[in-house]
Amino acid sequence: MSEFRLYLDLGVFHILDFAGYDHMLFVMAIAAIYLLNDWRKVLVLVTAFTIGHSITLALATLELIKYDLELIEFLIPLTIFITALANLFTRDRRRFEATQRKGYINYFFAGFFGTIHGLGFSSYLKVLLGAEQNIIKPLFAFNIGLEIGQMVIMILFLTLSTVFVDFFGVDRRDWKMIISSIILGISATLILGTDYMFK
């Protein structure tokens, strides 16, 4: 297996690994107000998130920036909490996008929150790289793998949402409220479980 394929696979499996379910939760929180026919909008949001985390992942892996890992472990679930909370106050997707400058502010927040998640990814990638001399190709491959993993989660979640709403007749607002409330509860538990809370 080539080095590129190795790190690509590691990126995919890092996102799809249930041990790191916090990143899955963020993608689901982003997608909670959408259905499968909105996949292009969610793809742009997820890509904005990828761009954000790619920047800080590269900077941190190349050791161009320093950060407090405990703070990042606190901020990651906080980004999930804020996203899920915003969903609860979103009464209608189209109205929400119209009042938020056609949804552009969502892309900004997805990208900004991505920069925080990127610092979390970097601690994992640095362990993988070890004494690797040339880290540009592994870094690029890992980022592509993360994006592929996020798209898999996005497609599966949007498909599940569409099945419940369009085929089982679950009210779209109720589905959004249930999913967002579950994510809100899990992220609140993660926040309270961080060491940073008790410093």
Side-chain angles (χ1 to χ4, degrees):
M1 181 185 294
S2 69
E3 179 189 54
F4 186 90
R5 178 60 187 276
L6 172 65
Y7 283 96
L8 179 104
D9 289 349
L10 287 169
V12 172
F13 292 124
H14 182 58
I15 283 289
L16 299 180
D17 183 0
F18 283 101
Y21 64 91
D22 50 350
H23 301 296
M24 287 187 189
L25 283 176
F26 186 77
V27 174
M28 289 189 287
I30 286 175
I33 63 172
Y34 297 101
L35 296 179
L36 195 56
N37 60 353
D38 302 310
W39 67 269
R40 290 180 183 84
K41 292 176 182 175
V42 185
L43 179 61
V44 174
L45 286 168
V46 171
T47 302
F49 175 63
T50 299
I51 291 168
H53 73 59
S54 296
I55 293 168
T56 48
L57 174 58
L59 292 174
T61 305
L62 294 167
E63 299 186 341
L64 297 176
I65 56 172
K66 304 291 183 184
Y67 60 93
D68 181 345
L69 185 57
E70 286 186 356
L71 174 61
I72 298 305
E73 288 175 350
F74 165 76
L75 290 176
I76 286 173
L78 184 62
T79 64
I80 302 165
F81 184 90
I82 291 169
T83 305
L85 186 64
N87 290 343
L88 295 179
F89 293 97
T90 304
R91 295 193 334 189
D92 177 86
R93 173 181 56 83
R94 290 182 181 86
R95 186 184 304 167
F96 177 71
E97 289 175 351
T99 57
Q100 297 296 320
R101 296 182 182 178
K102 300 182 180 179
Y104 294 141
I105 195 166
N106 294 346
Y107 306 144
F108 168 78
F109 278 111
F112 177 69
F113 288 164
T115 63
I116 296 168
H117 285 247
L119 296 173
F121 290 136
S122 70
S123 59
Y124 172 76
L125 183 58
K126 280 196 265 191
V127 171
L128 293 176
L129 289 170
E132 192 91 46
Q133 295 298 313
N134 182 10
I135 68 169
I136 301 301
K137 186 187 284 187
L139 181 60
F140 181 64
F142 187 74
N143 265 314
I144 293 175
L146 292 174
E147 175 76 346
I148 292 169
Q150 288 164 178
M151 286 192 289
V152 169
I153 295 164
M154 177 194 79
I155 291 167
L156 290 175
F157 181 77
L158 290 177
T159 301
L160 181 68
S161 297
T162 302
V163 167
F164 273 91
V165 172
D166 287 351
F167 292 95
F168 292 147
V170 176
D171 183 77
R172 185 165 179 166
R173 180 182 177 277
D174 291 345
W175 174 256
K176 176 203 69 177
M177 296 293 283
I178 291 166
I179 293 299
S180 297
S181 296
I182 291 170
I183 295 172
L184 195 70
I186 296 170
S187 58
T189 303
L190 291 173
I191 290 168
L192 293 172
T194 60
D195 294 334
Y196 191 80
M197 282 291 292
F198 302 101
K199 273 191 169 183

